[in-house]
Amino acid sequence: MKFFLFQIQQHSSEMPNAASTEKYYVVVGVIAILFLGIVGYLVSMDKKIKELEK
Amino acid sequence: MLKWWKIAGIVLVLYALVAGLLLPVPNLPILEQSIRNLYYHVPMWFGMLALLLASGFYSAKMLSTKDFGYDRKAVSYASVAVLYGCIGLATGMLWAKNTWGVYWTNDPKLNSAAIGMLMYAAYFVLRNSIEDEEKRARISAVYNLFVLPVYIVLIYIMPRLTASLHPGNGGNPGFNSYDLDSRLRMVFYPAVLGWIFFGFWIADLQIRIKQIAFKKSLID
């Protein structure tokens, strides 16, 4: 995360204002949670299939 | 324990999702911040092509070996490819609305993509219309092998020969020619690779479920 913050600070002229940047983090957080939820579902399905295959 | 390519898929896609929104991008006219869609829209089409090539490969293997296990693989890869195509169309339409002002235009690339998707939709209709398993496997494999080169011509060759709004087609430059600072590539290449691995993982799960169902049907 520090790396991303550094990158954003370096190129602040190309990024929207601070309020929008905060919203960015909310969007990123929601997307990451949704994706990790899908991954969790796929991993559990992978395990169940492995058990059935045995 | 998951295989290395599945873990790589998770890590790369998560990186692309997070970095795609947070890392800086070149400030190009018209595109502006919407250029970030490059990390979500384009990898879908690369992923779709990789999955369709795998589907075609297993269709050819099915025809040469008469092993119907390959048919299950071919249809699973094709179904995930169509899912990727749908996401690719949706992300493309949102991008078009923000840059061209409309969700859909009469552009050769867009129309070809729609025709390509319909051809693969017909593949599933064809499969579901044949009850005999052997006949279904053989006919759908032949159709799949017929559709694959047509799809490649429609999506990757034909739009380059005519005038097109779409970047990289009809004399329009692709992103490579005006993005020389490699900032986009830092996220774009991992995104392409990640989504390909992720698609193969979903297809792998589908194939294994079908194989278990097939073995169960033999026992019953």
Side-chain angles (χ1 to χ4, degrees), chain B residues 110-128:
Chain B
L110 275 64
N111 290 341
S112 298
I115 294 166
M117 292 292 290
L118 287 173
M119 286 191 317
Y120 274 97
Y123 169 73
F124 293 102
V125 173
L126 177 72
R127 283 189 69 84
N128 290 332

Side-chain angles (χ1 to χ4, degrees), chain B residues 30-47:
Chain B
I30 303 170
L31 287 166
E32 295 171 1
Q33 290 292 317
S34 81
I35 200 169
R36 292 179 191 279
N37 202 9
L38 178 80
Y39 309 136
Y40 312 108
H41 170 66
V42 185
M44 288 299 140
W45 295 102
F46 276 97

Side-chain angles (χ1 to χ4, degrees), chain B residues 14-15 37 62 65 93 119 127 131-132 136 147 156 161 163 185 193 199 208-209:
Chain B
L14 190 63
Y15 165 74
N37 202 9
M62 202 292 296
T65 61
M93 284 169 74
M119 286 191 317
R127 283 189 69 84
E131 281 188 20
D132 181 52
R136 179 175 60 208
V147 158
Y156 298 99
L161 304 175
R185 291 191 189 102
L193 211 56
R208 286 157 67 195
I209 290 169

Side-chain angles (χ1 to χ4, degrees), chain A residues 1 3-4 7-8 11 13-16 21 24-25 27-28 31-33 35-36 38-43 45-53, chain B residues 1-2 6 9-11 13-15 17-19 21-27 33 36 183 186 195 198 201-202 204-206 208-209 211-212 215:
Chain A
M1 191 54 82
F3 170 71
F4 292 131
Q7 290 282 325
I8 289 167
H11 299 85
S13 61
E14 294 165 14
M15 292 296 292
T21 311
Y24 261 51
Y25 292 127
V27 173
V28 170
I31 289 171
I33 289 165
F35 177 71
L36 289 174
I38 294 167
V39 167
Y41 174 69
L42 290 177
V43 169
M45 196 187 273
D46 206 305
K47 278 182 186 171
K48 279 179 195 168
I49 292 170
K50 207 172 268 178
E51 280 170 22
L52 282 170
E53 281 171 338
Chain B
M1 186 66 189
L2 290 174
K6 293 176 186 175
I10 296 167
V11 172
V13 172
L14 190 63
Y15 165 74
L17 288 172
V18 174
L21 285 170
L22 293 181
L23 285 184
V25 289
N27 199 10
Q33 290 292 317
R36 292 179 191 279
R183 278 181 287 177
M186 253 175 73
W195 281 111
F198 205 69
W201 184 18
I202 299 169
D204 175 65
L205 291 175
Q206 214 179 348
R208 286 157 67 195
I209 290 169
Q211 276 167 347
I212 291 167
K215 281 178 188 168

